[in-house]
Amino acid sequence: MDKKTKLRNDWTKEEIEKIFNQPLLELIYQAATVHREWHNPEEVQISTLLSIKTGGCVEDCSYCGQAARYHTNIKVQALLPTETVIAHAQKAKDSGSSRFCMAAAWREVRNNRDFDRVIDMVKGVNELGLEVCCTLGMLTEEQAIRLQEAGLYAYNHNLDTSEQYYEEIISTRTFDNRINTINNVRKAGITVCSGGIIGLGETNGDRISMLLTLATMPKHPESVPINALARVAGTPLENNPKVDTWEMVRMIATARIVMPSSMVRLSAGRIEMSETEQAWCFMAGANSIFTGERETLLVTPNPGVSEDMQMLNTLGLKPMRKAEEALVNS
């Protein structure tokens, strides 16, 4: 298929703002067109996310129920046994997932026995033939290299929001810390999964700025998760209003247009979206979802595997076996 849309890394804020502010149906049409140039519109990658270490985090991310300083109902859980994680990965594969992501509520990776155990987990999941992803907080280039050598395919490290609004949400690490980790991941030859959250109290300008940062990286993130705030009781943002579905659609469509080759992931917030609302997100260019046997996304509610498979069947979509199979060779 001939490409009509070229990859660009020189976007300006004004250009992205113009795309973002188009009439919604025109925006969706453009995004759907770009999506079909680069991806198979009938396929959606099913990714499973497992919390391998839960709660007790020293960070103060205002949206996160795993921060130790907030009084939430989330139970602290030590690092899971390696065999348990591998069993979850096998079950995810059997259920149709092609990517398995392991998340640990750490501020940063430390060179200790826990990290050695994560390395073993990565090796084990990789041997199952799944794309292996981790999100473990900040890490050095040397640590990233260890993960890559163990078989890590992707590393998730979200920007969360714009650089300008970032300090309103998190004070225990800087925006530059996040960029440095992404750079270390790139240097190690691991693919990047990085996106953000809407509904934090940010403006549309902040949303556009966040997309600008991602779209002007030397190489676009291979995966771009778009999350709606999951409001957790006990966190500073628990009373924020629910994100309107059309705001999610607008973000997904803009991300699809400015980062055509990336997997755009419809992530947190799906539990509050109807099947019809999720269908609009797929039409706007989303081609990945997170699902889970526990019906959670880390520590917040999420649709279950059977429910998701029924939705895909209703919409005439099918699980993607490998992310790279979705790309059309240029």
Side-chain angles (χ1 to χ4, degrees):
M1 185 183 299
D2 293 334
K3 295 286 193 309
K4 295 182 180 178
T5 303
K6 303 297 182 183
L7 288 178
R8 288 182 52 190
N9 306 82
D10 61 348
W11 292 97
T12 65
K13 186 172 183 179
E14 291 72 26
E15 287 175 316
I16 298 179
E17 187 173 36
K18 185 176 180 180
I19 293 169
F20 183 93
N21 288 324
Q22 290 182 93
L24 185 61
L25 293 182
E26 177 61 26
L27 174 62
I28 293 170
Y29 175 76
Q30 288 185 18
T33 302
V34 171
H35 183 63
R36 281 155 175 75
E37 291 171 359
W38 284 88
H39 304 269
N40 182 342
E42 296 180 357
E43 293 185 339
V44 173
Q45 186 181 40
I46 309 299
S47 303
T48 296
L49 177 61
L50 176 68
S51 180
I52 59 173
K53 184 270 178 185
T54 306
C57 183
V58 299
E59 301 274 28
D60 69 349
C61 306
S62 299
Y63 53 81
C64 186
Q66 299 196 66
R69 67 191 67 203
Y70 305 137
H71 300 291
T72 67
N73 293 322
I74 291 167
K75 184 179 179 181
V76 175
Q77 169 197 281
L79 190 66
L80 291 174
T82 301
E83 314 80 61
T84 301
V85 173
I86 302 304
H88 279 291
Q90 182 64 61
K91 191 168 184 178
K93 181 180 180 180
D94 293 343
S95 297
S97 290
S98 60
R99 176 178 289 206
F100 188 78
C101 188
M102 296 172 281
W106 291 331
R107 167 180 164 78
E108 59 193 339
V109 174
R110 298 186 183 278
N111 295 313
N112 56 22
R113 284 181 294 179
D114 281 349
F115 186 40
D116 293 340
R117 287 171 59 193
V118 171
I119 293 293
D120 289 338
M121 293 174 192
V122 171
K123 291 177 179 177
V125 176
N126 185 52
E127 288 173 0
L128 295 177
L130 290 163
E131 293 180 3
V132 195
C133 177
C134 280
T135 178
L136 313 168
M138 295 181 288
L139 80 168
T140 65
E141 183 180 352
E142 291 72 27
Q143 291 165 338
I145 289 171
R146 281 193 67 191
L147 287 165
Q148 189 275 333
E149 290 174 344
L152 190 72
Y153 179 83
Y155 196 83
N156 167 259
H157 204 63
N158 289 333
L159 298 181
D160 288 345
T161 189
S162 71
E163 184 174 6
Q164 297 75 19
Y165 191 64
Y166 187 85
E167 291 182 359
E168 299 296 320
I169 301 302
I170 304 159
S171 70
T172 49
R173 76 169 91 170
T174 67
F175 191 82
D176 285 343
N177 288 151
R178 293 190 180 269
I179 296 296
N180 289 340
T181 291
I182 291 171
N183 290 340
N184 290 336
V185 168
R186 277 282 180 230
K187 290 174 187 175
I190 299 169
T191 66
V192 171
C193 176
S194 187
I197 308 169
I198 66 173
L200 303 175
E202 77 287 347
T203 64
N204 281 341
D206 290 312
R207 296 173 184 181
I208 291 163
S209 291
M210 183 188 74
L211 291 175
L212 176 67
T213 298
L214 295 169
T216 55
M217 288 178 174
K219 186 175 183 180
H220 295 160
E222 284 79 2
S223 300
V224 180
I226 303 297
N227 298 273
L229 173 67
R231 297 158 293 169
V232 179
T235 63
L237 303 184
E238 65 174 310
N239 294 318
N240 278 29
K242 175 184 177 294
V243 173
D244 184 83
T245 298
W246 298 121
E247 295 180 69
M248 283 289 285
V249 170
R250 192 174 288 279
M251 277 294 288
I252 287 167
T254 306
R256 169 53 65 219
I257 291 169
V258 300
M259 292 173 280
S261 67
S262 301
M263 301 293 294
V264 177
R265 303 189 182 278
L266 173 57
S267 300
R270 288 200 302 121
I271 195 68
E272 296 190 89
M273 298 172 73
S274 68
E275 194 173 89
T276 302
E277 290 172 320
Q278 292 180 70
W280 276 106
C281 293
F282 295 131
M283 178 61 73
N287 59 343
S288 179
I289 56 173
F290 281 109
T291 192
E293 61 185 82
R294 295 177 172 177
E295 299 189 356
T296 59
L297 189 62
L298 292 183
V299 295
T300 57
N302 193 65
V305 178
S306 59
E307 187 179 346
D308 283 334
M309 291 304 176
Q310 179 59 52
M311 174 182 67
L312 295 185
N313 184 62
T314 298
L315 299 177
L317 300 172
K318 56 189 177 182
M320 184 186 299
R321 292 187 178 182
K322 286 284 187 180
E324 56 266 26
E325 292 175 6
L327 295 179
V328 180
N329 294 327
S330 53

